Amino acid sequence: MVEIAFAKLALPKSGALALLVAEGEKPSGLWEQADQATGGAISRALEAAEFTGGKGKTATLLAPGAGLSRVVAIGLGKPASLTASTLQEAGGTAAQALAREPVAAIAAANLTGAQAAEVGFGAQLRSYRFDRYRTKEKPSDKPRLARLTVLTGETGPAKAAWEAQAAIAHGVNLARDLVSEPANVLTPVAFADRCRALTELGVKVEVLGPKEMTKLGFGALMGVAQGSVQEPRVVVMQWNGGEGKKGKQKPLAFIGKGVTFDTGGISIKPAGGMEDMKWDMAGAGAVTGLMAALAGRKAKVDVVGIVGLVENMPSGSAQRPGDVVKSYSGQTIEVINTDAEGRLVLADVLWYCQQKFDPAFMVDLATLTGAIIIGLGHEYAGLYSNDDALATKLLAAGQATGEKLWRMPLDEAYDKQINSDIADMKNVGGRPGGSITGAQFIQRFVNGKPWAHLDIAGMAWSSKDSAITPKGATAFGVRLLDRLVAEGFEA
Ligand code: BES
Ligand code: MN
Ligand code: ZN
């Protein structure tokens, strides 16, 4: 992992340097110094590359002199439209451009401490790599960047702002690790063990196994689990950082779908692309990463995170299409399609969350439906909510973090689609509005609480690099929900 540091604005005597340049900006300060020290090589190169600071544009100059191994100019775009996201993206682009350099610095004309921390945040997020199973990679093919120093006139404020950012980056990278792990490694039991490790951050962690869940009556979750030799787990993580009297404040609740592998069960999925279903626990991964982030930055708020962990397999003991199960809420469900398993898991976990914690609100995250990918592609996650105030806050957090949400409808008329002839409901509502009927199903397990459901099926994994997210697991939801908590609910 790249170590992010902060230091005073001074021209490095060696190593690589990234210069963040606004559109139309003229050389000054450190940029001018570097240019003079290299006999004008930098300005000549930027001119030849027609680099003018356009957002996301880069120009690279190798061995320009003055002891520098490489200078990379990175465009910030128009100064008036400079946002935290732009700074993060510039940091990410710099980390990628400097990945082959062991030591490097990033500078701009005058970054405030807070801005420098944003740059560092983007660099840290882009430098993530899941390489624990690569045993034969040549050292020359590996990234070498070990330490990246962001130069700023305000090192004190930068370091202070970085403390929280580093905790969030750790949460994001934890979620990415969980999502990237293959399903033979990350079983429900192994996932629960990784959650247990959060006790080191001060999180209270409790784990329910099959005996307790059967006794409680988690018939919907246990029905999914019964086809697998891997035992299910439900993990309850509590962070009590609120300043109120402990136990008096209603906690915020986040719930994640954690299907460690989804074959579809007896309603088995086609073979092509099935390997992707190792990341059907991305909702649970995001909740776990969020808890790590909140605890890591000592958020002043009481939060409970609950993940439902099961493997959905076909076998002689698997549930059959047509089976009727009784959920923890008491409502019965006709399981028409064993591949609509996420909602069965969430049904029991949501009910448990309300019974046990009486939360202020619940937000669940789930890679719930292929239908949301048809609707929104890989740009927005679907947001469903019974509470306009909560939905508004979530939409705003999405815009601020770039983890964007699009609100979808809930309606009686859709709800009818999941009525069953022989039970209280069925677990699928046909093809029309497939993501919506999934949300309607979950809503039947919301007992009058403010609630939001995020269908993140299109967002959990990315097939291409972006400025702050290398391809692979995105950890979608960690930054979004951390922001929701920070902006709306911290003391
Ligand atoms: N985990 C899948 C949803 C999914 C599909 C996530 C593709 C990511 C990519 C979920 O359990 C599922 O199988 N949903 C079914 C629901 C259907 C049977 C009503 C689906 O979307 O096909
Ligand atoms: Mn499924
Ligand atoms: Zn699934």
Side-chain angles (χ1 to χ4, degrees):
M1 216 186 47
V2 178
E3 188 199 334
I4 305 296
F6 299 90
K8 284 206 221 88
L9 272 167
L11 188 62
K13 296 197 168 43
S14 62
L17 177 66
L19 291 169
L20 312 189
V21 177
E23 187 139 17
E25 187 181 332
K26 294 279 162 286
S28 71
L30 194 131
W31 176 13
E32 199 172 18
Q33 278 176 43
D35 199 33
Q36 282 167 3
T38 56
I42 296 173
S43 33
R44 282 196 300 280
L46 297 189
E47 197 172 324
E50 294 179 42
F51 176 89
T52 57
K55 191 174 164 193
K57 294 277 188 299
T58 63
T60 302
L61 175 59
L62 293 170
L68 295 171
S69 53
R70 178 186 314 234
V71 170
V72 185
I74 296 168
L76 292 172
K78 301 224 161 56
S81 58
L82 187 66
T83 62
S85 296
T86 308
L87 291 162
Q88 290 173 12
E89 284 161 19
T93 303
Q96 177 61 20
L98 302 173
R100 309 201 51 83
E101 303 279 347
V103 278
I106 306 183
N110 48 6
L111 289 174
T112 66
Q115 288 177 323
E118 298 289 3
V119 171
F121 186 63
Q124 184 85 93
L125 291 184
R126 179 59 188 272
S127 308
Y128 174 81
R129 223 169 165 252
F130 186 75
D131 54 10
R132 64 188 299 183
Y133 300 115
R134 296 183 183 216
T135 66
K136 296 193 163 176
E137 203 176 22
K138 291 193 215 98
S140 58
D141 289 339
K142 288 187 188 164
R144 271 169 284 198
L145 188 59
R147 189 183 168 89
L148 186 54
T149 306
V150 186
L151 306 181
T152 166
E154 301 180 1
T155 51
K159 285 175 188 165
W162 176 245
E163 272 188 39
Q165 300 279 52
I168 300 165
H170 170 252
V172 168
N173 288 338
L174 169 62
R176 287 170 172 174
D177 277 345
L178 291 168
V179 173
S180 303
E181 282 289 3
N184 61 327
V185 173
L186 199 72
T187 61
V189 168
F191 195 130
D193 287 341
R194 301 232 187 158
C195 294
R196 265 199 203 94
L198 297 193
T199 47
E200 281 174 30
L201 294 170
V203 178
K204 182 175 163 200
V205 182
E206 288 166 298
V207 181
L208 304 182
K211 278 210 192 85
E212 291 110 311
M213 290 194 264
T214 304
K215 202 164 159 216
L216 283 162
F218 284 16
L221 183 152
M222 291 303 294
V224 177
Q226 77 186 36
S228 173
V229 296
Q230 303 296 339
E231 284 189 2
R233 293 287 186 269
V234 163
V235 184
V236 179
M237 294 167 272
Q238 286 175 264
W239 168 250
N240 293 316
E243 281 173 338
K245 284 202 190 103
K246 292 280 142 64
K248 273 214 146 181
Q249 241 178 327
K250 290 188 179 192
L252 317 181
F254 299 96
I255 291 125
K257 167 181 172 180
V259 175
T260 58
F261 197 80
D262 181 13
T263 63
I266 296 297
S267 313
I268 197 164
K269 289 181 181 292
M274 202 202 277
E275 68 280 6
D276 286 351
M277 286 300 119
K278 76 170 183 182
W279 45 260
D280 208 19
M281 36 54 67
V287 168
T288 308
L290 173 69
M291 295 307 290
L294 294 173
R297 67 175 182 78
K298 301 197 165 53
K300 290 190 170 56
V301 62
D302 293 343
V303 181
V304 54
I306 313 185
V307 295
L309 307 169
V310 299
E311 185 178 61
N312 189 22
M313 296 291 265
S315 76
S317 65
Q319 70 179 343
R320 293 144 289 252
D323 282 5
V324 175
V325 296
K326 186 167 185 178
S327 68
Y328 180 46
S329 73
Q331 302 177 93
T332 56
I333 304 160
E334 185 185 10
V335 180
I336 298 293
N337 189 321
T338 65
D339 197 10
E341 83 298 339
R343 60 198 73 181
L344 296 170
V345 173
L346 290 173
D348 283 342
V349 178
L350 258 72
W351 198 264
Y352 179 74
C353 178
Q354 292 159 103
Q355 294 295 108
K356 179 117 194 212
F357 296 102
D358 186 28
F361 66 72
M362 301 190 289
V363 177
D364 77 74
L365 296 94
T367 48
L368 204 76
T369 68
I372 198 66
I373 311 178
I374 304 300
L376 299 178
H378 301 287
E379 306 300 334
Y380 284 76
L383 160 66
Y384 298 85
S385 184
N386 62 1
D387 188 278
D388 290 344
L390 178 58
T392 302
K393 288 194 172 99
L394 279 161
L395 289 166
Q399 287 301 329
T401 57
E403 295 192 327
K404 292 182 290 186
L405 303 174
W406 191 261
R407 192 164 181 188
M408 301 282 288
L410 290 163
D411 196 299
E412 270 310 303
Y414 294 114
D415 197 66
K416 284 200 190 108
Q417 286 178 232
I418 54 170
N419 286 340
S420 159
D421 291 336
I422 68 154
D424 296 334
M425 70 195 84
K426 53 188 179 183
N427 75 331
V428 294
R431 273 174 60 83
S435 172
I436 306 173
T437 52
Q440 295 288 165
F441 182 95
I442 296 169
Q443 189 176 25
R444 291 196 184 201
F445 299 87
V446 176
N447 198 0
K449 289 273 170 218
W451 153 81
H453 158 62
L454 310 183
D455 192 340
I456 61 169
M459 306 307 294
W461 192 268
S462 173
S463 56
K464 54 181 199 300
D465 288 335
S466 69
I468 62 169
T469 308
K471 73 177 179 186
T474 61
F476 185 95
V478 177
R479 290 186 296 120
L480 170 81
L481 297 176
D482 176 79
R483 180 64 65 105
L484 173 80
V485 171
E487 301 270 287
F489 302 97
E490 277 186 65

